[in-house]
Amino acid sequence: MVHLQGQKRRRDQPIKKASEFLRVPALPFLCVLVTACAAVVTACVSCGYSLAGRGSFLPAYIRTIGIPTFTNRTTVFNLETQLTQKVRAEFIGRGKYQVLPQDTGVDAVLIGDVASVSITPVNFNDQQLASRYTITIVANIQLRDVRENKVLWENPSMVFRQDYDNTSGRNALSADAFFGQESNALDRVSSDFARSIVSAILEAF
């Protein structure tokens, strides 16, 4: 039974065709639909939801983050310096926090301890030389609230794994050799690892 504005159709009233009910101007209908969707989105945002990659769970009073130089327990020379600088730059790039190199006089402090770096060949060329490697970095990362003296975020065994091309044309049996042979390799790996650290801390998934 077809209902019109909540009233029943009289038995002697002819049944209207479906096409008659669809004679609604397209533009007003679309305007109503868009307005309704906008209202729903606005309601969701006001309820605390946010777009992925735009949110941050850090307390509002945290405005300065101290990032002292990471500890390097690997044999890769200068790895701790590169990683620390890249993490600082990544935080600064987000535009929300002031980043300082010390662990005092700040609202929060980020501590990094790089435990290991390994390299594994994944592709070979016709000369049986590795053409592509997988770099794996394992680190202990902790963000501590200095004001409340509590841990805000931590990953005691954060694993970063990424593939990189071998452009030197020589085999590398260790991470030291790979970084020594590949120009800018350490810079690229550090940038990618820093981005993964900051994203894990700040971005809403």
Side-chain angles (χ1 to χ4, degrees):
M1 179 179 295
V2 178
H3 293 271
L4 295 176
Q5 298 180 349
Q7 298 179 356
K8 294 183 179 180
R9 179 183 61 84
R10 297 201 311 269
R11 292 184 179 180
D12 58 345
Q13 184 177 359
I15 300 176
K16 293 184 178 182
K17 297 181 181 180
S19 59
E20 294 183 63
F21 293 110
L22 298 178
R23 292 174 183 174
V24 180
L27 185 57
F29 176 75
L30 289 177
C31 291
V32 172
L33 181 60
V34 170
T35 302
C37 291
V40 172
V41 172
T42 302
C44 289
V45 172
S46 64
C47 290
Y49 293 96
S50 61
L51 297 176
R54 297 292 184 182
S56 173
F57 69 92
L58 296 182
Y61 59 81
I62 292 183
R63 299 183 181 279
T64 59
I65 299 178
I67 307 179
T69 303
F70 287 8
T71 301
N72 182 12
R73 302 186 186 280
T74 76
T75 58
V76 178
F77 176 72
N78 209 35
L79 176 62
E80 73 284 0
T81 302
Q82 287 278 6
L83 283 179
T84 305
Q85 291 176 348
K86 294 297 184 180
V87 172
R88 290 171 182 167
E90 188 68 23
F91 264 111
I92 293 173
R94 300 301 175 108
K96 292 183 178 181
Y97 308 100
Q98 179 185 7
V99 176
L100 300 175
Q102 69 268 11
D103 56 3
T104 58
V106 294
D107 300 319
V109 58
L110 181 68
I111 302 171
D113 186 359
V114 185
S116 66
V117 179
S118 61
I119 179 171
T120 306
V122 291
N123 284 325
F124 295 87
N125 58 23
D126 295 338
Q127 290 74 39
Q128 294 304 306
L129 294 174
S131 58
R132 194 167 180 81
Y133 291 96
T134 295
I135 299 292
T136 303
I137 302 177
V138 180
N140 178 4
I141 308 296
Q142 182 184 97
L143 180 66
R144 176 172 289 276
D145 185 333
V146 176
R147 172 175 170 177
E148 300 294 333
N149 192 26
K150 64 180 182 180
V151 175
L152 293 172
W153 183 94
E154 68 175 342
N155 189 335
S157 185
M158 183 173 184
V159 178
F160 167 80
R161 186 176 290 108
Q162 187 77 297
D163 289 351
Y164 296 93
D165 291 329
N166 176 11
T167 60
S168 68
R170 294 177 292 173
N171 276 332
L173 301 179
S174 66
D176 310 61
F178 177 79
F179 289 124
Q181 296 170 8
E182 297 291 326
S183 61
N184 300 322
L186 184 57
D187 183 75
R188 288 184 288 119
V189 174
S190 299
S191 295
D192 293 339
F193 189 32
R195 192 174 302 113
S196 67
I197 291 175
V198 178
S199 294
I201 294 174
L202 294 182
E203 292 187 358
F205 291 97

